[in-house]
Amino acid sequence: MAYIYPAPGVGTAQATLTLSVNANAGDTNSLPLPSLQDITLNNANDVFSWTTLDNGSKQQIATTSTNSLAMNLVVDQTKFFGTDYASATAAGAATSTAAEYGVFGLSKDKVKVDFSLYMGDEDDGTNGPTVTGEAYVTGLAPTVSADSPVWVTPITLTVDGDYSFTTGA
């Protein structure tokens, strides 16, 4: 059995997430998101239920699923607010990069992104799986407190369609 081992602190083996602007084919992996505290990969199938008069139990069938990635991120000023948000909004998504928009700009302007989540190496040292897809950045709510003196925000990638994945072997 091979476990996926993201190896916190080991640069080449850790879980990594990168975003790029979907409308700009030249924007490949332009915004790596550092400082992820946790990652949850969600795949929630909807279920249609019905009853019939001759059966005491419900019948159910799986329908479409709702996919998302949820995580917490320690806020980095450049990654969060972008390298050139004013130029990105003026030029539009077709020619701008995710790095220019920043996480906040991608969410605020409702820019569809391509994402790539490398889940980390496997415990035997081989490359682990990568999950990819198209999504919208949502759920930003940066907070800071006396007990947590750096800004931390939840972030959700609401997936448009299916996930794709490759195994590392």
Side-chain angles (χ1 to χ4, degrees):
M1 181 177 301
Y3 295 102
I4 302 170
Y5 178 65
V10 179
T12 59
Q14 65 189 355
T16 56
L17 178 67
T18 54
L19 305 176
S20 56
V21 174
N22 179 266
N24 181 355
D27 183 24
T28 57
N29 299 330
S30 76
L31 183 62
L33 292 182
S35 305
L36 295 173
Q37 291 185 314
D38 56 55
I39 305 168
T40 303
L41 184 65
N42 297 305
N43 175 252
N45 289 321
D46 292 331
V47 176
F48 177 74
S49 301
W50 71 95
T51 58
T52 60
L53 295 174
D54 63 343
N55 195 332
S57 299
K58 286 187 175 184
Q59 304 296 307
Q60 297 184 350
I61 187 168
T63 61
T64 58
S65 63
T66 302
N67 300 316
S68 65
L69 279 90
M71 61 213 83
N72 285 298
L73 170 73
V74 177
V75 174
D76 170 274
Q77 182 173 333
T78 303
K79 304 289 184 181
F80 194 74
F81 291 107
T83 58
D84 196 354
Y85 176 74
S87 293
T89 56
T95 58
S96 298
T97 67
E100 291 170 330
Y101 274 105
V103 172
F104 185 76
L106 292 168
S107 178
K108 179 183 170 299
D109 291 0
K110 300 169 183 65
V111 176
K112 186 187 274 190
V113 297
D114 294 324
F115 69 87
S116 176
L117 171 65
Y118 177 67
M119 296 179 71
D121 288 358
E122 294 186 1
D123 60 352
D124 63 1
T126 60
N127 288 339
T130 299
V131 178
T132 59
E134 298 175 354
Y136 291 95
V137 177
T138 63
L140 299 177
T143 60
V144 68
S145 70
D147 294 331
S148 175
V150 294
W151 286 91
V152 176
T153 185
I155 176 174
T156 301
L157 297 181
T158 303
V159 178
D160 180 24
D162 287 332
Y163 291 119
S164 297
F165 68 93
T166 57
T167 56

